[in-house]
Every structure is written in structure tokens, then in C-alpha cells.
Amino acid sequence: MKKITLLFVINFITMLSCFSQFDEKFYFPSKEWQNIEGIDFTEIYFSIDNDTINTILFKSTDTTKATIIYFHGTGGNISSNTYIAELLTHEGFQVFMIDFRGYGKSTGKPTHLNIANDAQVIFDKIKSMNEFKNLPIIIIGASLGTQIATKITRDNETEISALILDGTMSSFTDLAKLSVSEDQKDIISTYVTSPYSAEEDIKYIKSTPKLFIHSKFDKYVPFNQGNTVFSNATEPKTFWEYEGNHLDSASKFPKEYIQYICFLLEESKNYKKTD
């Protein structure tokens, strides 16, 4: 009996140790950098703690309508997401992208907490920069980026005009449960906690127009997770259901993608007039 108890304790401690490092299981940073060509941009570096965070401001080709702050997903880096910037800058938006720690030219290792801290520090700093003054701010989160996008909007709602969530995860915990068997889901729920989550943070975003983008054919983030977050959101809100793969909306339906963003920006202006 003592041997069994000791074995149980050892296994339990080992399990806790594994879960304590679970943040790393969500992030797959790439250092492979693709050349960025055919688009005007400026790199801006921020020193936070002992790390350097790389960001890029892609400049609009026309009179700038708004600033879009874009949080990418779990893989790649800024350079593998420039197709979004190209689409948006040609429609009058400047696009500010952030590489989490460990991604692209950023140093360090990403965790849920340092990503949240870095995003807030950077948001506070860019507000005073000439390139961002007097322009509406739209937040876009893609896949894993929907978590920090929702949190930053909740924490800074009065300064944000609109929120767009593409391929929305409900929480880190819910995503982790997808990779285990049914009998292990209670353990995941107990030990793989979400320090912040879209499904909770969205409840506190009251007056900001919100757009949810999701495909029922999404193989990476189930449609029901996006629908859960949408259901928890207050008005004004819009759901765009398209046919395609995960994060396919901008590349497969660029015209509709722009139309939805422009509609959201106008809705923000009209809503503030009547709010």
C-alpha cells in the first residue's frame, strides 16, 4: 500500500510539473523570416523585462481610415501574415502587428501572462506616437490571438472602436481538452487553467461593435467555440459564417472581409453617436 501511495504521489507531482509548463504547448514560434516586399512598413522594437519585442507598422496606401492592431495565431510570425496587411493597407487601413516573445525577431519565450503584459505595455506606448494619434483603433485576433485580442479590448474599451475575432477559441482550457480523451478532460479543466479567456472577457465588453468570423469546416478550432463566445457577447455584434478552412476568410473572400470591417467601423461611429 505504501508503494502504491508513493507511486501515486510521484505521478501526481510529475503531472503537476508537466502542467506548470503547459503554456509552451500552445505556442509554436517560428524564427524563419520571409522577405517583406511590395508594401511600405516600419519596424518598431520595444524592450520589456530582458526581452525585445518586434512589431511592424504597415502603412496605408491612401488616407488612413483607422489603425488595425493584429494579433496572429499560434504559428509563424509577422512575416508569414503580411498577406493580411497587404489587403488592408490597400483599403485605407494601417496595420500594426506584434510578434509575441520568441516569434520572428522577438526574443524570449511566450507565455499567456507575458503576452498579456507585453500587449498592454505596447498599447500604452503607441497611443502617444504621432502615427496612431486621432485614429480609430480596431483590434483583430486570429485563432490563438483571439484570447489576447479580447482581453486587450476589455481592458481598454474606451479607446478601442471595434473588435474582430477570426477563428475564435473560447479558452486555452477548452482548446487543450480537444487533444485528450473524454476521461481526461476533468483533469485538464482542473490543472490547465486560463488566466484570461475570450468566453469570459467578451461578457465585459459592452459598447464596442464586435465581428466574429468562423467556418463550420474549421478543423483546428471547432465552430462551437466561436459560437460560445458570440453567444456570451453583448450587442452590437455580428457573426460571419463562411465556407472554408481555418483563417481562410481574408484570402478566400477578400471583398467580403473588407466590407465587414468597413461596416464595423461605421457602426462604431454611429453607435457612439447614440450611446
Side-chain angles (χ1 to χ4, degrees):
M1 179 63 71
K2 289 183 179 179
K3 289 183 178 180
I4 294 175
T5 302
L6 179 60
L7 182 60
F8 175 82
V9 171
I10 291 173
N11 287 337
F12 185 74
I13 292 173
T14 302
M15 181 183 69
L16 287 182
S17 176
C18 291
F19 283 128
S20 69
Q21 301 299 314
F22 209 85
D23 280 17
E24 297 179 2
K25 306 299 182 183
F26 288 90
Y27 302 100
F28 301 93
S30 172
K31 288 294 185 183
E32 183 178 347
W33 193 260
Q34 302 175 22
N35 289 333
I36 301 175
E37 300 175 344
I39 184 170
D40 190 13
F41 68 91
T42 300
E43 289 188 276
I44 307 170
Y45 290 88
F46 296 88
S47 294
I48 304 177
D49 299 330
N50 295 317
D51 286 314
T52 300
I53 310 301
N54 176 242
T55 68
I56 293 184
L57 177 63
F58 296 94
K59 300 176 183 179
S60 169
T61 59
D62 202 344
T63 302
T64 306
K65 300 175 184 175
T67 297
I68 290 177
I69 300 178
Y70 188 90
F71 295 101
H72 62 65
T74 184
N77 54 51
I78 290 173
S79 71
S80 54
N81 286 274
T82 55
Y83 70 97
I84 291 285
E86 290 178 12
L87 174 63
L88 293 169
T89 54
H90 281 92
E91 297 296 333
F93 298 97
Q94 65 175 10
V95 182
F96 183 72
M97 290 189 175
I98 301 171
D99 259 341
F100 311 134
R101 298 192 197 196
Y103 283 77
K105 299 179 183 180
S106 296
T107 65
K109 292 184 178 181
T111 69
H112 301 330
L113 292 180
N114 67 34
I115 284 175
N117 174 73
D118 296 348
Q120 187 60 59
V121 169
I122 292 170
F123 184 82
D124 290 339
K125 288 183 177 180
I126 66 174
K127 287 184 298 183
S128 62
M129 296 170 62
N130 290 332
E131 294 90 342
F132 298 88
K133 284 182 178 179
N134 305 317
L135 284 172
I137 295 175
I138 299 172
I139 303 291
I140 297 181
S143 192
L144 195 75
T146 58
Q147 302 307 288
I148 184 56
T150 312
K151 176 173 173 52
I152 207 75
T153 303
R154 173 186 175 178
D155 294 343
N156 306 272
E157 184 172 6
T158 59
E159 299 171 276
I160 292 172
S161 296
L163 170 65
I164 299 171
L165 301 178
D166 188 357
T168 315
M169 288 169 41
S170 49
S171 70
F172 297 114
T173 307
D174 288 344
L175 190 69
K177 288 193 291 186
L178 294 177
S179 62
V180 301
S181 59
E182 193 67 34
D183 61 328
Q184 294 176 318
K185 289 185 178 180
D186 287 342
I187 295 175
I188 293 293
S189 296
T190 301
Y191 295 107
V192 185
T193 56
S194 299
Y196 49 91
S197 68
E199 65 181 350
E200 287 301 318
D201 287 334
I202 201 72
K203 298 175 184 178
Y204 300 92
I205 302 172
K206 300 299 183 182
S207 60
T208 303
K210 297 163 281 289
L211 171 64
F212 297 80
I213 306 172
H214 219 119
S215 169
K216 278 197 172 178
F217 302 100
D218 195 320
K219 296 179 181 179
Y220 294 97
V221 181
F223 183 82
N224 63 357
Q225 289 199 20
N227 197 46
T228 293
V229 182
F230 175 76
S231 298
N232 286 351
T234 60
E235 297 288 350
K237 61 182 180 179
T238 303
F239 198 105
W240 174 24
E241 179 187 334
Y242 69 94
E243 292 187 2
N245 296 320
H246 185 58
L247 303 182
D248 246 1
S249 57
S251 59
K252 195 171 182 179
F253 304 102
K255 182 178 179 181
E256 291 85 350
Y257 188 83
I258 293 299
Q259 286 176 340
Y260 271 108
I261 294 177
C262 290
F263 165 76
L264 206 65
L265 185 59
E266 287 304 311
E267 187 179 33
S268 172
K269 296 174 184 177
N270 295 332
Y271 193 82
K272 287 186 176 180
K273 290 177 183 178
T274 59
D275 193 18

